[in-house]
Amino acid sequence: MAEYLIDQRDLEFVVFEQFGFDALLKSEKYSDFSEDILRDTITQAVKFAGEVLAPTNDEADKFGCRLVDGKVELPPSFQKAYNAYCENGWAAPGQSAELGGMGLPLILAIIAQEVGIAASPSFMFFPGLTVGAAHLVEAFGQETLRDLVVPKMYTGEWTGTMCLTEPQAGTAVGDLKTVAVPLAEGEESTAPFEGLQEYKITGNKIFISAGDHELTDNIMHLVLARVEGDPVGIKGISLFLVPKYRFDKDGKILGSNDVACTAVEHKMGIHASPTCSLSFGDEGECRGFLIGEQRRGIHCMFQMMNEARIACGVQGVSLGNVAFQRALSYAKERVQGTKITERDPNAERVTILQHPDVRRNLMICKAYGEGIRALLYQAAFHADFAENHSDEALRTKYHDRLELLTPICKAYASDKGFKMTELAIQVHGGYGYIQEYGVEQCMRDVKIASIYEGTNGIQALDLLGRKMRLKEGGLFMAWLQDTNEFIEENAEHTALKKEFKLVEEAKNALAEVSFHFMMSGKEDPERAMMGATPFLEMFGHVEVSRLLLEQAVLADQKLQALFTEKNVAEADRAAFIKESVDARFYDGKVKTAQFFAHHILPEVYSLASGIKADDRSALDIDFM
């Protein structure tokens, strides 16, 4: 079994030093928490993931999941781990305590998610999807239904799914064929409460993650369907809660709701997460309850989809960093060859960590890994402040910033997480290609994050075609203003002056390209949209470089304070950094930001060149 490795020091640096918890703890919602409580929570999350979840991963990858006699079989270790997960309160750490969650700040929920995915990726689909589904019911469900269903989901007694995709309706969800028909007068209702709008549901859904299993007594499926007679397209779609089993007002299971799993996909990765084909209403007896307003299903579902997109980014952060930590550990131990500067064939053999190309690959992983972690943790802070900040204007600002950056969180983090797994395999050499060291599984498990919950191409279109236009470009202009202020404040930084100049130039290139789209989009919309994915990558590079420089400024302050406190002379600082864990950590932050600015950030210029090129070759070619 591959070792479970988490850089807890970096998690805590981002939370407590980079973003700071003081402002969050001043809000009424979190006034009962303290930094000590939150640090202890992180430690407990890491400990639980390592001791309880990580031991399930090897079996999960090898056993997978199987459809046997109409039932989905999971790895035997999952049931015990799931029970412990729920008993320890991890099922819904960031959700309302009144409804069964832990009521923690969202950043703690993101961390619990990251360390859980790092331990056992397939396992985390069950609680992860359940929280999103329950939160949607909490927001839009009828009160009596909400008060029964949501606590059962937040405590893990029941699980949940999101059911959008059909064979002919993937990204084009408006093409779905699942139908909802209101009960005819005189038909017997199965609703547990009076006042629920009950419908007969008929249709088929595919690619439903955690779609069927025996971990819990019931599964709440959130199903998009069209009420008979409603318009075609997304404007005619409604949302329904469709339980696997019918239940009464006390939650007692009454029997089948005519929902069946007809197939389980055999996938590249996440082998033990059952990706199911589900059939609703084969016998004409499937019932569902309207969530939200009729024909407002997409509006409701977008809440869960946006949360799921953040979760995709966390998946990239988690598995990319796991792969990096394993590659780093391997590079420190694997002895191969002599130093490149050594000419004596009998010279001492060194670890591959001494080889420049290996160090470059590891540094790319470190820079991406710490950058995308900061990107996703920042999103969690934005989400919490958007809801809980005392200043209404700041609540709006944080909401807008989260809107702007969500497609980047999803697409950039999942793409770079995959890139990190590729480089981690490369560092391992041939050993990375076999199962023993675990990095090839990281690659297989993370790839899906760039595909589901709206492919990364869709995220790029959302960023360029919608988010950049919101409030007449106001969201992007506000980001530009904040970035400009940060650069101006630090333009003469002693250790980072060159890097701030590089970020300023890259930011200007990004702004120039954004204005280019205003003209090219009118002249040739297809060619303009061909630049959406490169534009998202440009934006991701600049934002991550900004975040890494933010870390570097703080780290340099801490490093200089250590030198002063320990009275370290200039000539002795390199040796001190090697000996001091804190000094080495902070020095690493400075060097990581420098590396990203010099070696990765310049990619924005080649991306910009392609976007601005007057070239339609990809559109005009007649593919054979």
Side-chain angles (χ1 to χ4, degrees):
M1 183 179 75
E3 188 177 1
Y4 175 68
L5 298 170
I6 285 289
D7 187 355
Q8 187 173 339
R9 179 70 178 87
D10 192 59
L11 307 185
E12 294 179 347
F13 172 83
V14 179
V15 174
F16 298 108
E17 297 179 64
Q18 181 174 10
F19 295 130
F21 245 99
D22 293 347
L24 201 59
L25 296 181
K26 289 176 183 176
S27 68
E28 182 179 350
K29 183 175 182 179
Y30 301 125
S31 59
D32 291 336
F33 291 98
S34 67
E35 182 174 323
D36 287 343
I37 291 173
L38 299 177
R39 284 186 182 275
D40 182 63
T41 302
I42 293 173
T43 297
Q44 292 304 315
V46 172
K47 184 174 185 289
F48 182 88
E51 293 180 356
V52 179
L53 300 186
T56 71
N57 184 53
D58 191 53
E59 180 190 46
D61 191 50
K62 291 179 172 59
F63 183 93
C65 51
R66 306 159 187 178
L67 184 62
V68 180
D69 297 329
K71 293 185 177 182
V72 174
E73 293 184 355
L74 299 178
S77 59
F78 269 23
Q79 187 69 64
K80 182 178 179 181
Y82 183 80
N83 292 345
Y85 192 82
C86 298
E87 289 165 5
N88 282 272
W90 295 114
Q95 305 310 122
S96 166
E98 289 76 16
L99 291 172
M102 291 176 71
L104 293 171
L106 292 179
I107 182 61
L108 270 295
I110 291 289
I111 290 174
Q113 193 174 45
E114 179 188 340
V115 301
I117 292 170
S120 187
S122 292
F123 175 89
M124 289 299 292
F125 277 78
F126 301 96
L129 284 160
T130 299
V131 167
H135 190 212
L136 194 154
V137 177
E138 180 185 353
F140 300 105
Q142 194 263 2
E143 185 176 2
T144 53
L145 186 66
R146 180 198 68 198
D147 291 346
L148 172 63
V149 168
V150 173
K152 287 185 175 293
M153 297 176 77
Y154 282 164
T155 57
E157 184 178 346
W158 292 353
T159 57
T161 73
M162 56 192 299
C163 300
L164 287 74
T165 306
E166 299 181 9
Q168 77 294 335
T171 298
V173 69
D175 293 341
L176 61 77
K177 295 181 179 178
T178 299
V179 175
V181 179
L183 292 190
E185 187 175 346
E187 282 191 275
E188 183 179 358
S189 171
T190 67
F193 306 103
E194 292 183 1
L196 296 182
Q197 298 183 58
E198 186 175 359
Y199 292 75
K200 287 186 173 181
I201 308 295
T202 308
N204 296 282
K205 299 289 183 177
I206 63 171
F207 297 160
I208 308 306
S209 297
D212 196 40
H213 54 82
E214 302 295 316
L215 283 179
T216 57
D217 293 337
N218 212 345
I219 304 172
M220 301 295 107
H221 299 294
L222 286 167
V223 179
L224 288 180
R226 195 182 319 279
V227 175
E228 196 172 52
D230 277 352
V232 298
I234 60 172
K235 292 183 178 180
I237 293 175
S238 299
L239 178 65
F240 301 88
L241 179 73
V242 182
K244 178 180 179 180
Y245 297 111
R246 296 176 183 176
F247 55 90
D248 67 14
K249 62 182 179 62
D250 298 315
K252 180 182 177 182
I253 302 300
L254 300 178
S256 171
N257 190 36
D258 196 12
V259 179
C261 177
T262 58
V264 172
E265 304 295 344
H266 300 280
K267 309 183 297 294
M268 172 182 175
I270 51 170
H271 289 162
S273 170
T275 303
C276 300
S277 297
L278 298 180
S279 174
F280 298 90
D282 277 358
E283 305 298 326
E285 294 298 327
C286 180
R287 304 294 179 87
F289 309 109
L290 184 68
I291 299 294
E293 299 176 17
Q294 188 173 332
R295 296 185 295 278
R296 295 279 288 170
I298 288 293
H299 168 75
C300 297
M301 186 61 86
F302 257 111
Q303 173 183 292
M304 186 174 180
M305 289 173 68
N306 282 331
E307 291 172 355
R309 287 168 178 175
I310 294 296
C312 289
V314 175
Q315 191 175 348
V317 171
S318 179
L319 292 171
N321 275 289
V322 166
F324 164 57
Q325 291 297 327
R326 289 175 181 166
L328 179 60
S329 177
Y330 179 83
K332 290 177 178 178
E333 297 175 357
R334 173 66 168 166
V335 175
Q336 195 75 188
T338 62
K339 284 182 69 70
I340 197 169
T341 54
E342 183 60 68
R343 294 292 179 261
D344 182 359
N346 297 313
E348 178 186 5
R349 267 47 187 168
V350 297
T351 64
I352 62 172
L353 188 59
Q354 303 302 313
H355 300 321
D357 190 61
V358 171
R359 295 180 75 86
R360 182 186 66 87
N361 284 337
L362 290 171
M363 198 62 166
I364 293 171
C365 288
K366 179 176 170 63
Y368 276 140
E370 294 178 7
I372 59 177
R373 175 177 284 134
L375 180 68
L376 269 296
Y377 285 18
Q378 176 183 246
F381 275 100
H382 285 163
D384 246 332
F385 282 132
E387 182 180 340
N388 300 304
H389 204 287
S390 58
D391 187 319
E392 183 178 356
L394 287 176
R395 287 200 301 273
T396 299
K397 177 180 178 177
Y398 286 118
H399 172 270
D400 289 351
R401 190 61 50 84
L402 182 63
E403 279 274 295
L404 178 67
L405 296 180
T406 290
I408 300 171
C409 289
K410 195 276 188 186
Y412 189 87
S414 59
D415 277 343
K416 300 316 173 190
F418 182 79
K419 180 65 176 179
M420 291 168 69
T421 65
E422 175 200 335
L423 292 174
I425 290 173
Q426 197 69 26
V427 169
H428 280 79
Y431 288 107
Y433 199 66
I434 62 178
Q435 294 182 346
E436 180 181 353
Y437 288 82
V439 286
E440 58 83 33
Q441 185 195 342
C442 291
M443 175 180 270
R444 290 187 285 106
D445 285 349
V446 79
K447 181 54 200 168
I448 188 61
S450 65
I451 298 171
Y452 57 13
E453 312 309 343
T455 66
N456 286 0
I458 293 297
Q459 303 309 307
L461 292 174
D462 179 47
L463 174 65
L464 183 59
R466 195 170 77 88
K467 301 299 176 61
M468 292 292 290
R469 296 180 179 182
L470 288 177
K471 296 187 177 180
E472 298 182 339
L475 274 61
F476 180 64
M477 295 306 296
W479 175 87
L480 271 180
Q481 181 178 344
D482 287 348
T483 303
N484 285 335
E485 290 175 0
F486 174 63
I487 292 171
E488 289 170 8
E489 289 169 3
N490 296 280
E492 299 301 320
H493 192 282
T494 305
L496 298 163
K497 182 176 180 178
K498 289 189 296 184
E499 288 72 31
F500 272 101
K501 182 65 174 175
L502 292 173
V503 173
E504 181 181 25
E505 292 169 350
K507 177 265 302 175
N508 291 341
L510 178 69
E512 181 185 342
V513 166
S514 71
F515 296 130
H516 167 81
F517 278 119
M518 294 172 62
M519 296 302 299
S520 63
K522 295 176 182 178
E523 297 169 359
D524 189 345
E526 284 188 320
R527 182 166 65 84
M529 288 300 103
M530 199 168 66
T533 292
F535 178 74
L536 185 147
E537 183 156 11
M538 284 183 70
F539 205 149
H541 280 339
V542 176
E543 175 66 358
V544 163
S545 193
R546 184 191 69 79
L547 288 166
L548 290 175
L549 276 176
E550 190 172 86
Q551 293 186 357
V553 169
L554 291 167
D556 186 63
Q557 291 172 356
K558 300 291 181 71
L559 187 59
Q560 298 307 317
L562 281 173
F563 291 154
T564 301
E565 178 188 344
K566 302 296 183 181
N567 197 26
V568 182
E570 184 80 32
D572 299 328
R573 290 183 176 182
F576 176 75
I577 288 170
K578 285 183 178 295
E579 295 169 1
S580 167
V581 173
D582 284 340
R584 191 160 66 250
F585 177 83
Y586 290 129
D587 182 66
K589 283 292 180 186
V590 174
K591 287 182 169 58
T592 299
Q594 291 172 329
F595 178 87
F596 194 98
H598 288 281
H599 296 272
I600 297 175
L601 186 60
E603 292 176 8
V604 300
Y605 301 110
S606 61
L607 293 166
S609 177
I611 291 170
K612 293 187 289 185
D614 184 19
D615 173 51
R616 286 183 52 92
S617 55
L619 297 169
D620 294 340
I621 187 174
D622 186 5
F623 283 109
M624 299 292 288

